Amino acid sequence: MADPQESTGGGTRFLINMIGVVGLVFGVLPIVRYLLQLDVFGFTTAPYDWLQLDGAARFLPPAMVLVVCIVAAYLLEKRLERS
């Protein structure tokens, strides 16, 4: 039988990976879409379209999502290292 301490690492790794996916899809790809004006990544900006931001302000929501995802993944990784 697996040790309970070892089995918690898999769930935490999965959570870190999912946070990374959210950071990429809703943080990095919208920024790339805004910079390169690509319509193919239109689905990534759907959560931010209702804000109707123009200019540099439209970079703020995806940048905030990216920063929060990086910090959350970092903190989970540090917690995993301590265990």
Side-chain angles (χ1 to χ4, degrees):
M1 185 135 211
D3 185 21
Q5 289 285 25
E6 292 176 15
S7 65
T8 59
T12 305
R13 289 278 179 211
F14 178 75
L15 183 60
I16 291 170
N17 288 337
M18 288 299 103
I19 290 171
V21 168
V22 168
L24 286 174
V25 171
F26 296 110
V28 174
L29 289 181
I31 292 172
V32 169
R33 179 181 189 249
Y34 290 144
L35 287 174
L36 301 178
Q37 299 176 353
L38 297 173
D39 289 333
V40 75
F41 295 139
F43 70 95
T44 64
T45 59
Y48 316 124
D49 289 342
W50 66 274
L51 294 171
Q52 298 177 352
L53 299 173
D54 290 329
R58 63 186 173 165
F59 290 98
L60 291 176
M64 288 172 27
V65 167
L66 184 60
V67 168
V68 167
C69 287
I70 289 171
V71 169
Y74 176 78
L75 292 175
L76 284 171
E77 186 71 33
K78 286 299 180 184
R79 191 182 100 192
L80 189 64
E81 286 178 6
R82 280 188 276 146
S83 298

